[in-house]
Amino acid sequence: MISVNEKGLAIIDEMLDWEEDVKIESKVLENGATIIDCGVNTEGGYDAGMYLSRLCLADLAEISYTKVDLDGLAVPAIQIATDHPTIACMASQYAGWRIAVGDYFGMGSGPARGLGLKPKELYEEIGYKDEADAAVLVMESDKLPTEEIVEYIAKHCSVEPQNVYIAVAPTSSIAGSVQISARVVETGIHKLESIGYDINKIKSGFGVAPIAPIVGDDTKCMGSTNDCIIYCGETYYTVEDGNAEELEDFVKKAPSSTSRDFGKPFYTTFKEAGFDFFKVDAGMFAPAKITINDLKSKKSFTSGRINPGILLESFGIKSV
């Protein structure tokens, strides 16, 4: 079976070899853990964002930069293609580990989740568990993790602290923005899973999403980065299903436009909810448009719509 942490460690080695070139900085803590700053106190950039995206997906996807047109404005975008959708996106990339120790908080994603089984129910559903001596984690946070955080992660992953590798970037950084848009395929799979679809039937995934500019602090950027997928993210999946009628119904329910909160920038929705995630409709977290091709019935279905106007509002781009 593929080890997502072994594949992640190979990327870490590459990052350490090229850290000056890609404007990142590594340090080794007293307990031996390696921390790679991709945007907290460093410049980071598109190269760092690409490395973070590769780490999150455990190098099980082809990733490239492209562009999308937003009502005549060309903006940077990222394109993902994978033949290992459940392992790459759900066993690795999905930000399913909320790490809160003391006054430190960060969202953990990437290979280390496959050791800590965060969340356990998901790994049971897809039948995956990694076995590796090293834990590789991507952290979305505006602070670098301390030794205490490393000890917490090492314990949950059953590895020694010196074998923990953490790459960190805040949401309000270019690298952070890139790696969030790179979640477009994963977001669609997660939405399908949340409405009851058997995601083990998904055999490949493809997606494109714009990359948000830096519009403010982490909370503001959380809004714009989510909007990239919610309003302009497009995904295409191939599945082995056979039940075309049932599949058509799932495709209808999957896009973000089915959410009661669809129709305005996410930051606005979040603010109106008192910045309480539990008051925001979880169904909003999905690509704008989803297409599925069934290899058994030979039928394809598409649903959803792109809304560049709302994304431009979220970006706050001023024409001068």
Side-chain angles (χ1 to χ4, degrees):
M1 183 176 285
I2 294 170
S3 169
V4 291
N5 280 280
E6 286 183 4
K7 294 186 76 65
L9 190 57
I11 302 169
I12 291 289
D13 289 340
E14 191 176 328
M15 292 175 75
L16 296 177
D17 286 341
W18 295 97
E19 61 179 288
E20 184 176 347
D21 298 64
V22 299
K23 301 178 181 179
I24 60 179
E25 188 174 295
S26 67
K27 69 174 182 178
V28 178
L29 302 182
E30 288 189 12
N31 61 8
T34 299
I35 309 298
I36 304 178
D37 182 353
C38 296
V40 178
N41 300 312
T42 60
E43 186 174 347
Y46 287 106
D47 286 335
M50 180 62 73
Y51 272 120
L52 287 178
S53 302
R54 288 177 58 196
L55 277 176
C56 284
L57 288 156
D59 235 10
L60 291 171
E62 289 293 325
I63 312 173
S64 59
Y65 286 115
T66 182
K67 65 178 180 179
V68 297
D69 183 276
L70 300 182
D71 287 344
L73 177 67
V75 299
I78 196 162
Q79 177 175 294
I80 312 295
T82 179
D83 287 327
H84 303 275
T86 53
I87 295 178
C89 297
M90 304 307 289
S92 188
Q93 187 181 33
Y94 172 52
W97 194 354
R98 295 173 61 89
I99 297 173
V101 179
D103 62 353
Y104 185 90
F105 176 79
M107 289 301 300
S109 59
R113 289 181 45 251
L115 295 173
L117 302 182
K118 306 292 184 179
K120 185 177 180 181
E121 296 78 10
L122 175 61
Y123 288 92
E124 290 176 345
E125 180 181 354
I126 63 177
Y128 182 84
K129 180 180 180 181
D130 196 12
E131 294 183 2
D133 295 327
V136 178
L137 190 70
V138 173
M139 191 86 79
E140 188 177 333
S141 177
D142 62 357
K143 297 179 181 178
L144 297 177
T146 62
E147 291 185 10
E148 184 181 15
I149 303 301
V150 169
E151 298 286 347
Y152 172 87
I153 292 167
K155 179 180 178 181
H156 282 265
C157 293
S158 301
V159 300
E160 295 299 320
Q162 63 265 29
N163 292 329
V164 172
Y165 300 83
I166 307 174
V168 190
T171 311
S172 56
S173 67
I174 296 175
S177 184
V178 168
Q179 68 89 12
I180 292 172
S181 289
R183 297 174 184 274
V184 60
V185 173
E186 174 263 303
T187 304
I189 295 174
H190 184 251
K191 178 63 179 289
L192 286 165
E193 192 269 345
S194 71
I195 61 176
Y197 189 71
D198 180 3
I199 58 174
N200 293 301
K201 295 178 180 179
I202 303 174
K203 302 305 174 185
S204 64
F206 174 89
V208 180
I211 297 167
I214 308 306
V215 299
D217 61 14
D218 278 352
T219 304
K220 287 281 289 184
C221 286
M222 180 186 62
S224 61
T225 53
N226 274 296
D227 287 337
C228 286
I229 295 174
I230 293 169
Y231 292 107
C232 285
E234 294 190 66
T235 55
Y236 183 104
Y237 304 98
T238 54
V239 303
E240 288 186 350
D241 193 305
N243 189 334
E245 184 176 344
E246 185 180 76
L247 180 60
E248 181 179 0
D249 188 55
F250 277 114
V251 174
K252 286 180 182 178
K253 296 175 181 177
S256 56
S257 55
T258 61
S259 168
R260 68 171 187 266
D261 288 328
F262 183 89
K264 50 191 170 184
F266 178 76
Y267 179 79
T268 302
T269 300
F270 194 36
K271 185 177 181 180
E272 290 174 351
F275 299 105
D276 184 348
F277 264 111
F278 294 103
K279 293 181 180 179
V280 177
D281 180 17
M284 191 177 183
F285 297 102
K289 195 167 186 177
I290 292 178
T291 302
I292 294 184
N293 169 231
D294 180 18
L295 300 176
K296 287 188 175 181
S297 69
K298 316 300 182 187
K299 293 185 177 181
S300 298
F301 305 98
T302 189
S303 181
R305 64 184 186 274
I306 301 301
N307 197 321
I310 294 178
L311 191 57
L312 285 171
E313 181 184 349
S314 178
F315 286 1
I317 297 176
K318 181 180 180 181
S319 179
V320 296

